[in-house]
Amino acid sequence: MAGIFEDQEYNKSATQYVAHGVEDQEPRPPYHDSPSSFRAIIPDDGHIVSQHEQQNLIRGLSQRHVQMIAIAGAIGTGLFLGLGGSIATGGPLGALLGYVFVGAVVCAIQFSLGEVSALLPVTGSFVRHAEVLVDPALAFAVGWNVVYGCFISVPSEISASVVLIQYWTDINAAVWVTILIIISVVVAISFIRVYGEVEFVFAILKILLVIFVVILGLVIDLGGVPGVPRLGFHYWKDPGSFVEYIATGSWGCFLGFWAVMTNAVYSFAGVESLAMAAAETKNPRHNIPKACKRVFARITIFYLAAVLVVGMIVSSQDDRLGWDGSTAAQSPFVIAASDAGIKAIPSIVNAVCLTSAWSASNQSILAGTRTLYGLAIKGHAPKVFLWTSKWGVPYMCVLLQVAFSLLAYMCISNEALTVFFWFVDLTAAGTLVSWITIALNHIRLLKALKKQGISPDQLPWHNRITKYTSWFALIYCIIILLTGGFTVFTKGNWDPASFVSSYLDIPLVLGAYGGYKLIHRTKIVSLQAVPITQALEEAENDPDNVPIVKNRSFWSKINILWG
């Protein structure tokens, strides 16, 4: 592993492969028209942002779309339904500290992603970055891990959506699965702007609900509901600010806090997807970093405020927090509202949770299809996945995604659904693998800059603290990945299924990495060979690389949501 962080020898062919994608190929036209009027694309052509992306993908995502995709990725069912489990496991203060630490990690990851994406705004984001900055074998391993995880996530989110719909109706689940698959396919094959508008609307709904439930929680806590006493920080004192988990005393409180952090990671899963469609984003070298920068404010406002309020209005010993029904009934906000006699809240929370689940499905489709497209550009996937429609959509990638979406019909059978979600759990660690790759890419970029004598200030976007925060995120993510299933190692809690779901992804990724290196004889990219100068030249010559004029009005300074 030391070679990943330090310079080492390399051969000419390896350098050509990393910098150009192929070895000594004759230049050919970027595409040809197929009989069906779709465009089939040939291999990479030597550019950082390839001609395939420039000519066959359409930049339909504007700055507001990218901003809201970041919000939609950070707010999901984990916030509305999962906070109760975190309070029950770690207590109000343990949950708050857990989300603070993981929030800091997410912010560090987003800064790393924004800095590298501003220089290399390619389809596939950090997967393609690993090809240039670390090792083609790592891009292959992590890329297929992302594709697999995203493609399996789609039917799981559709299944979760059906469960939420059945909160209101008893109509056969197959009907709702069919409707949701059709709608998802329509959005997936449409112009990328359609996806951006859908996520924009969903993000607005999520923001409004978060603001509403936080204010509602404060009103309930402060005794603003007739007949409900003022709570204040009562539940922080009784039963206490921490919960003993597995063990007793201080050690048990620490384990509860640690269990919250491992759960919080998956609540934030998806925030990295905002850069997956960089080649389909207008002015990506400015808009993507700007979206990444604002993650810290969103996490502070939404998650930390929500965790704080939930810990004030619901007891960590409330048995309803442990119910695993995956509907609004388990939401701590619904529990508090029901106790206060407010009956309309469950349906409101359930409706927005439904949009959150479907939004997560759409994000998985975008991340999975664009990663697969990026793998095909570099020859890590069949070239058939490079075919795009006249709207600039890699439709063959979408068709493969549709095939996986059909697995959602397994939710019709409870036994099949149990097995299916067990397989879904196998990809849970994939989020941490992706974050580790993002941090590693950024560390390698900074080392390459130093090796080549180029100032980081020449990057399209750079923040001085990232040279420290990327190491923090890398180390912290590795620790969480290795300890994510610590419960199974405690006395009396061994569970083979939990062990496999927590750790199987590690040998799968390492096996894919080692196998690719063994077959293709790739080497870790030399720091001197990282094509930074070429990337900077392409950025300078990019006609879309136009600095955004800052709005210095009062409202622009306090607008931390999408401006």
Side-chain angles (χ1 to χ4, degrees):
M1 288 293 290
I4 293 179
F5 298 102
E6 304 298 338
D7 199 3
Q8 64 174 222
E9 294 183 0
Y10 65 98
N11 55 43
K12 181 179 180 181
S13 61
T15 306
Q16 290 175 338
Y17 183 82
V18 173
H20 304 290
V22 293
E23 298 180 15
D24 302 325
Q25 280 202 354
E26 291 294 327
R28 290 183 287 175
Y31 65 88
H32 65 270
D33 292 330
S34 66
S36 60
S37 78
F38 291 110
R39 293 177 289 187
I41 321 215
I42 51 88
D44 199 3
D45 52 17
H47 295 81
I48 300 296
V49 182
S50 71
Q51 292 295 321
H52 314 324
E53 297 163 280
Q54 294 182 28
Q55 298 189 23
N56 299 288
L57 299 179
I58 299 175
R59 291 186 172 180
L61 295 177
S62 66
Q63 189 260 350
R64 66 181 178 90
H65 293 136
V66 178
Q67 293 284 350
M68 285 306 195
I69 289 173
I71 291 182
I75 305 175
T77 54
L79 175 62
F80 301 118
L81 302 182
L83 285 186
S86 297
I87 296 294
T89 300
L93 181 56
L96 182 61
L97 292 177
Y99 275 85
V100 166
F101 274 84
V102 175
V105 171
V106 173
C107 291
I109 291 297
Q110 290 297 88
F111 271 65
S112 299
L113 179 63
E115 198 158 305
V116 180
S117 296
L119 180 66
L120 308 170
V122 294
T123 299
S125 185
F126 58 90
V127 174
R128 292 273 299 283
H129 300 161
E131 177 93 19
V132 177
L133 298 169
V134 186
D135 190 340
L138 180 63
F140 173 84
V142 174
W144 278 106
N145 189 61
V146 170
V147 171
Y148 166 68
C150 289
F151 280 17
I152 291 296
S153 293
V154 173
S156 75
E157 295 293 350
I158 291 176
S159 300
S161 299
V162 172
V163 173
L164 293 168
I165 291 174
Q166 290 178 330
Y167 179 81
W168 297 298
T169 179
D170 294 329
I171 296 177
N172 191 291
V175 175
W176 300 114
V177 170
T178 303
I179 293 174
L180 290 172
I181 289 179
I182 292 174
I183 296 175
S184 297
V185 171
V186 170
V187 173
I189 64 175
S190 301
F191 177 41
I192 188 67
R193 187 180 181 87
V194 174
Y195 166 82
E197 295 295 347
V198 169
E199 288 302 299
F200 183 85
V201 173
F202 284 170
I204 290 291
L205 291 175
K206 294 177 184 180
I207 291 172
L208 293 177
L209 181 61
V210 171
I211 295 174
F212 172 73
V213 296
V214 168
I215 294 176
L216 176 65
L218 289 174
V219 171
I220 294 174
D221 181 74
L222 298 175
V225 178
V228 178
R230 183 181 184 277
L231 294 173
F233 284 89
H234 170 74
Y235 292 127
W236 283 55
K237 301 174 183 178
D238 182 21
S241 56
F242 286 95
V243 171
E244 295 178 347
Y245 182 68
I246 297 177
T248 58
S250 300
W251 179 241
C253 293
F254 173 79
L255 292 181
F257 155 74
W258 195 261
V260 168
M261 286 197 298
T262 57
N263 292 333
V265 166
Y266 308 117
S267 296
F268 292 112
V271 294
E272 68 279 1
S273 63
L274 66 93
M276 282 297 184
E280 296 167 86
T281 302
K282 297 177 181 177
N283 199 357
R285 290 183 168 90
H286 292 276
N287 285 329
I288 290 179
K290 190 171 184 178
C292 291
K293 281 193 300 182
R294 296 185 181 273
V295 170
F296 177 76
R298 296 184 187 114
I299 290 172
T300 301
I301 291 176
F302 299 132
Y303 270 94
L304 301 189
V307 175
L308 178 62
V309 170
V310 166
M312 295 164 62
I313 61 178
V314 180
S315 171
S316 59
Q317 293 185 347
D318 194 313
D319 294 335
R320 291 170 292 181
L321 294 178
W323 183 66
D324 192 22
S326 298
T327 66
Q330 75 178 104
S331 170
F333 300 107
V334 171
I335 293 173
S338 299
D339 291 344
I342 305 174
K343 299 180 179 179
I345 299 302
S347 290
I348 296 175
V349 172
N350 202 69
V352 178
C353 284
L354 176 59
T355 65
S356 296
W358 193 57
S359 172
S361 173
N362 285 337
Q363 286 206 341
S364 293
I365 292 176
L366 181 75
T369 54
R370 272 46 178 188
T371 300
L372 182 57
Y373 180 86
L375 288 172
I377 286 179
K378 286 299 183 179
H380 301 320
K383 296 304 177 185
V384 67
F385 294 117
L386 288 172
W387 294 357
T388 57
S389 70
K390 62 182 179 181
W391 295 307
V393 176
Y395 69 96
M396 291 302 295
C397 299
V398 173
L399 290 179
L400 180 61
Q401 174 68 79
V402 172
F404 276 86
S405 299
L406 298 178
L407 291 174
Y409 284 103
M410 295 177 70
C411 73
I412 299 173
S413 166
N414 291 333
E415 293 77 12
L417 183 63
T418 300
V419 175
F420 172 67
F421 278 112
W422 184 79
F423 280 107
V424 171
D425 288 341
L426 299 180
T427 65
T431 297
L432 286 167
V433 172
S434 296
W435 291 1
I436 289 170
T437 304
I438 291 171
L440 179 59
N441 288 339
H442 183 257
I443 291 171
R444 287 280 299 177
L445 173 62
L446 294 183
K447 285 186 171 292
L449 287 168
K450 183 177 180 180
K451 182 73 174 180
Q452 298 180 27
I454 301 175
S455 171
D457 294 331
Q458 295 186 39
L459 295 174
W461 183 67
H462 174 64
N463 193 306
R464 294 181 180 179
I465 67 170
T466 55
K467 64 180 179 181
Y468 307 109
T469 57
S470 292
W471 278 104
F472 161 72
L474 176 67
I475 295 171
Y476 204 81
C477 287
I478 292 175
I479 292 174
I480 297 179
L481 179 63
L482 297 178
T483 61
F486 76 89
T487 304
V488 301
F489 299 111
T490 58
K491 186 177 181 179
N493 292 305
W494 171 255
D495 179 30
S498 297
F499 173 79
V500 171
S501 64
S502 296
Y503 295 109
L504 182 62
D505 204 53
I506 299 175
L508 287 179
V509 173
L510 293 178
Y513 175 76
Y516 191 91
K517 286 189 71 67
L518 184 64
I519 295 173
H520 294 275
R521 305 292 182 182
T522 65
K523 293 184 179 181
I524 296 173
V525 181
S526 166
L527 296 177
Q528 193 66 44
V530 175
I532 297 177
T533 302
Q534 179 187 354
L536 291 173
E537 290 176 353
E538 289 190 18
E540 184 178 351
N541 297 325
D542 182 5
D544 290 327
N545 185 16
V546 181
I548 300 175
V549 179
K550 292 185 177 181
N551 187 344
R552 301 187 180 277
S553 66
F554 171 76
W555 290 110
S556 68
K557 293 179 180 179
I558 65 173
N559 176 16
I560 56 178
L561 295 180
W562 60 80

